[in-house]
Amino acid sequence: MLVDTTSNTAARSHWDEFYAGRKTGKHAPRYPSQFAAFAVNELIGIDTLIEFGCGNGRDSEFFGSYGLDVLAMDASAAAIEACKNGGASPQIEYRQVNVSEARPHVADFLKARNQRLPVAVYARFFLHAITPEEQSEFLDMLSQLLPRDSIALFEYRTVGDESDRKEFGKHYRRFLDHSGLLDSLVSRGFVVEYEIENRGLAKYRNEDAMVGRCVARKA
C-alpha cells in the first residue's frame, strides 16, 4: 500500500500494524500472488521492474528470483523494515516512499540505468489504495518518466467488488471503474495490450474479489 493523504492516516497505521505481523506469519501470505505469476510471463526482454505498494515483498522477491533488478516501494515503515530484514535478494532495493514523493525516486532509479531501455511497472492492489487525485498524478508520472516500450501491469478492485465480504476487513480502499482506468492510460499515451475484469483472478481463502487487470505499453 502506498498512500499519502491526511485522510488516510488511519489507513497507514492499519498497514503498519498489518505488516508488523510478517515475522509471525499471521497476516499476508508469503507466496507470490496470482497476478505476479501472470505478470512474469509478460516481462520478455525486460530486466528491470519498479513495484509500487510492495507490502511484505512477496512479489518483489518472486521477480528478483528471476534475475530482475527491482525497486520496491511502500508507504508502510513496518512493511519496508520487514522486507529489509527478511533476507531480500541482492538485486532488490526496498524504499519507504509515499506516492506523492515517488517521482524523484523513480527518476533517479532510471537515471542510474540506461534510460532508453524499457522497464516494467508493477502495482497489485495499489491503485484502489490511493485517492483519485493521487492516481492521476501517478499515471502522469509514468507517462512522463518511463522510457518508450515500458510496460505497466496493474491489478485492482473494481466497482463490482464493493459490496462483497473482505478477508482483511475494513480499511481505506476504492473500487475502480475498469473501463475508466483503461481510458486514463490511453489518454496518457499507453496502448492497452491486455485487459480483463472478472472473479477467479485474486481468490484468497473465502474471498473471490472482482478485479481488473491490464497490461499497457508506453507508446
Side-chain angles (χ1 to χ4, degrees), residues 179-197:
S179 296
L181 176 64
L182 301 181
D183 290 343
S184 294
L185 288 166
V186 171
S187 71
R188 289 171 170 84
F190 286 86
V191 176
V192 177
E193 297 185 336
Y194 171 86
E195 57 83 13
I196 188 172
E197 181 181 14

mmCIF file of all heavy atoms in Angstrom, residues 179-197:
data_model
loop_
_atom_site.group_PDB
_atom_site.id
_atom_site.type_symbol
_atom_site.label_atom_id
_atom_site.label_comp_id
_atom_site.label_asym_id
_atom_site.label_seq_id
_atom_site.Cartn_x
_atom_site.Cartn_y
_atom_site.Cartn_z
ATOM 1 N N SER A 179 -13.167 0.313 -17.157
ATOM 2 C CA SER A 179 -13.069 0.996 -18.451
ATOM 3 C C SER A 179 -12.490 2.394 -18.288
ATOM 4 O O SER A 179 -11.722 2.867 -19.137
ATOM 5 C CB SER A 179 -14.442 1.070 -19.115
ATOM 6 O OG SER A 179 -14.926 -0.224 -19.419
ATOM 7 N N GLY A 180 -12.851 3.054 -17.192
ATOM 8 C CA GLY A 180 -12.344 4.394 -16.948
ATOM 9 C C GLY A 180 -10.836 4.410 -16.776
ATOM 10 O O GLY A 180 -10.148 5.320 -17.252
ATOM 11 N N LEU A 181 -10.296 3.410 -16.076
ATOM 12 C CA LEU A 181 -8.847 3.339 -15.911
ATOM 13 C C LEU A 181 -8.164 3.109 -17.259
ATOM 14 O O LEU A 181 -7.140 3.736 -17.564
ATOM 15 C CB LEU A 181 -8.472 2.226 -14.945
ATOM 16 C CG LEU A 181 -6.962 2.024 -14.803
ATOM 17 C CD1 LEU A 181 -6.292 3.252 -14.187
ATOM 18 C CD2 LEU A 181 -6.634 0.780 -14.014
ATOM 19 N N LEU A 182 -8.717 2.224 -18.065
ATOM 20 C CA LEU A 182 -8.127 1.966 -19.376
ATOM 21 C C LEU A 182 -8.104 3.240 -20.211
ATOM 22 O O LEU A 182 -7.106 3.549 -20.883
ATOM 23 C CB LEU A 182 -8.907 0.864 -20.106
ATOM 24 C CG LEU A 182 -8.990 -0.491 -19.401
ATOM 25 C CD1 LEU A 182 -9.770 -1.472 -20.258
ATOM 26 C CD2 LEU A 182 -7.607 -1.040 -19.085
ATOM 27 N N ASP A 183 -9.187 4.005 -20.159
ATOM 28 C CA ASP A 183 -9.238 5.277 -20.889
ATOM 29 C C ASP A 183 -8.177 6.248 -20.379
ATOM 30 O O ASP A 183 -7.564 6.986 -21.167
ATOM 31 C CB ASP A 183 -10.624 5.902 -20.754
ATOM 32 C CG ASP A 183 -11.705 5.142 -21.506
ATOM 33 O OD1 ASP A 183 -11.362 4.331 -22.387
ATOM 34 O OD2 ASP A 183 -12.896 5.356 -21.208
ATOM 35 N N SER A 184 -7.954 6.248 -19.069
ATOM 36 C CA SER A 184 -6.941 7.128 -18.486
ATOM 37 C C SER A 184 -5.550 6.775 -18.997
ATOM 38 O O SER A 184 -4.725 7.659 -19.238
ATOM 39 C CB SER A 184 -6.960 7.026 -16.957
ATOM 40 O OG SER A 184 -8.172 7.525 -16.432
ATOM 41 N N LEU A 185 -5.276 5.504 -19.160
ATOM 42 C CA LEU A 185 -3.985 5.076 -19.681
ATOM 43 C C LEU A 185 -3.822 5.466 -21.148
ATOM 44 O O LEU A 185 -2.779 5.989 -21.555
ATOM 45 C CB LEU A 185 -3.829 3.567 -19.515
ATOM 46 C CG LEU A 185 -3.617 3.075 -18.082
ATOM 47 C CD1 LEU A 185 -3.816 1.571 -17.992
ATOM 48 C CD2 LEU A 185 -2.222 3.448 -17.597
ATOM 49 N N VAL A 186 -4.847 5.231 -21.929
ATOM 50 C CA VAL A 186 -4.791 5.563 -23.359
ATOM 51 C C VAL A 186 -4.593 7.065 -23.553
ATOM 52 O O VAL A 186 -3.813 7.497 -24.417
ATOM 53 C CB VAL A 186 -6.068 5.078 -24.073
ATOM 54 C CG1 VAL A 186 -6.128 5.618 -25.504
ATOM 55 C CG2 VAL A 186 -6.122 3.549 -24.073
ATOM 56 N N SER A 187 -5.265 7.865 -22.751
ATOM 57 C CA SER A 187 -5.146 9.325 -22.877
ATOM 58 C C SER A 187 -3.750 9.820 -22.524
ATOM 59 O O SER A 187 -3.378 10.941 -22.884
ATOM 60 C CB SER A 187 -6.178 10.019 -21.984
ATOM 61 O OG SER A 187 -5.853 9.878 -20.607
ATOM 62 N N ARG A 188 -2.963 8.987 -21.852
ATOM 63 C CA ARG A 188 -1.597 9.363 -21.476
ATOM 64 C C ARG A 188 -0.546 8.701 -22.361
ATOM 65 O O ARG A 188 0.635 8.673 -22.018
ATOM 66 C CB ARG A 188 -1.354 9.027 -20.001
ATOM 67 C CG ARG A 188 -2.117 9.932 -19.038
ATOM 68 C CD ARG A 188 -2.025 9.429 -17.611
ATOM 69 N NE ARG A 188 -2.543 10.405 -16.648
ATOM 70 C CZ ARG A 188 -3.820 10.541 -16.330
ATOM 71 N NH1 ARG A 188 -4.729 9.752 -16.918
ATOM 72 N NH2 ARG A 188 -4.200 11.449 -15.451
ATOM 73 N N GLY A 189 -0.968 8.164 -23.469
ATOM 74 C CA GLY A 189 -0.013 7.633 -24.432
ATOM 75 C C GLY A 189 0.341 6.171 -24.268
ATOM 76 O O GLY A 189 1.341 5.712 -24.835
ATOM 77 N N PHE A 190 -0.464 5.426 -23.527
ATOM 78 C CA PHE A 190 -0.247 3.993 -23.390
ATOM 79 C C PHE A 190 -1.163 3.232 -24.342
ATOM 80 O O PHE A 190 -2.267 3.685 -24.663
ATOM 81 C CB PHE A 190 -0.530 3.530 -21.960
ATOM 82 C CG PHE A 190 0.525 3.924 -20.967
ATOM 83 C CD1 PHE A 190 0.481 5.171 -20.347
ATOM 84 C CD2 PHE A 190 1.561 3.058 -20.652
ATOM 85 C CE1 PHE A 190 1.453 5.540 -19.426
ATOM 86 C CE2 PHE A 190 2.533 3.415 -19.737
ATOM 87 C CZ PHE A 190 2.486 4.667 -19.121
ATOM 88 N N VAL A 191 -0.705 2.089 -24.775
ATOM 89 C CA VAL A 191 -1.518 1.181 -25.578
ATOM 90 C C VAL A 191 -1.873 -0.017 -24.707
ATOM 91 O O VAL A 191 -0.978 -0.701 -24.186
ATOM 92 C CB VAL A 191 -0.760 0.713 -26.836
ATOM 93 C CG1 VAL A 191 -1.595 -0.307 -27.609
ATOM 94 C CG2 VAL A 191 -0.396 1.895 -27.717
ATOM 95 N N VAL A 192 -3.146 -0.253 -24.514
ATOM 96 C CA VAL A 192 -3.591 -1.376 -23.689
ATOM 97 C C VAL A 192 -3.483 -2.657 -24.512
ATOM 98 O O VAL A 192 -4.176 -2.831 -25.506
ATOM 99 C CB VAL A 192 -5.028 -1.173 -23.184
ATOM 100 C CG1 VAL A 192 -5.490 -2.389 -22.389
ATOM 101 C CG2 VAL A 192 -5.115 0.091 -22.330
ATOM 102 N N GLU A 193 -2.600 -3.543 -24.080
ATOM 103 C CA GLU A 193 -2.366 -4.782 -24.819
ATOM 104 C C GLU A 193 -3.186 -5.948 -24.278
ATOM 105 O O GLU A 193 -3.403 -6.945 -24.981
ATOM 106 C CB GLU A 193 -0.886 -5.136 -24.770
ATOM 107 C CG GLU A 193 0.000 -4.100 -25.440
ATOM 108 C CD GLU A 193 1.456 -4.501 -25.489
ATOM 109 O OE1 GLU A 193 1.879 -5.328 -24.653
ATOM 110 O OE2 GLU A 193 2.176 -3.985 -26.363
ATOM 111 N N TYR A 194 -3.629 -5.822 -23.038
ATOM 112 C CA TYR A 194 -4.427 -6.886 -22.427
ATOM 113 C C TYR A 194 -5.248 -6.280 -21.308
ATOM 114 O O TYR A 194 -4.775 -5.408 -20.577
ATOM 115 C CB TYR A 194 -3.517 -7.979 -21.854
ATOM 116 C CG TYR A 194 -4.246 -9.010 -21.021
ATOM 117 C CD1 TYR A 194 -4.845 -10.108 -21.611
ATOM 118 C CD2 TYR A 194 -4.321 -8.880 -19.628
ATOM 119 C CE1 TYR A 194 -5.515 -11.061 -20.837
ATOM 120 C CE2 TYR A 194 -4.976 -9.824 -18.855
ATOM 121 C CZ TYR A 194 -5.581 -10.904 -19.464
ATOM 122 O OH TYR A 194 -6.241 -11.831 -18.701
ATOM 123 N N GLU A 195 -6.491 -6.730 -21.186
ATOM 124 C CA GLU A 195 -7.327 -6.272 -20.076
ATOM 125 C C GLU A 195 -8.410 -7.295 -19.807
ATOM 126 O O GLU A 195 -8.878 -7.983 -20.707
ATOM 127 C CB GLU A 195 -7.918 -4.892 -20.350
ATOM 128 C CG GLU A 195 -8.751 -4.756 -21.619
ATOM 129 C CD GLU A 195 -10.200 -5.204 -21.458
ATOM 130 O OE1 GLU A 195 -10.638 -5.399 -20.295
ATOM 131 O OE2 GLU A 195 -10.874 -5.354 -22.480
ATOM 132 N N ILE A 196 -8.775 -7.399 -18.543
ATOM 133 C CA ILE A 196 -9.848 -8.301 -18.147
ATOM 134 C C ILE A 196 -10.416 -7.814 -16.822
ATOM 135 O O ILE A 196 -9.702 -7.227 -16.006
ATOM 136 C CB ILE A 196 -9.331 -9.756 -18.008
ATOM 137 C CG1 ILE A 196 -10.493 -10.720 -17.777
ATOM 138 C CG2 ILE A 196 -8.300 -9.860 -16.898
ATOM 139 C CD1 ILE A 196 -10.078 -12.198 -17.834
ATOM 140 N N GLU A 197 -11.686 -8.038 -16.637
ATOM 141 C CA GLU A 197 -12.347 -7.781 -15.356
ATOM 142 C C GLU A 197 -13.167 -9.008 -15.010
ATOM 143 O O GLU A 197 -14.079 -9.381 -15.758
ATOM 144 C CB GLU A 197 -13.242 -6.543 -15.426
ATOM 145 C CG GLU A 197 -13.934 -6.226 -14.107
ATOM 146 C CD GLU A 197 -14.853 -5.008 -14.191
ATOM 147 O OE1 GLU A 197 -15.161 -4.586 -15.325
ATOM 148 O OE2 GLU A 197 -15.272 -4.501 -13.136
#
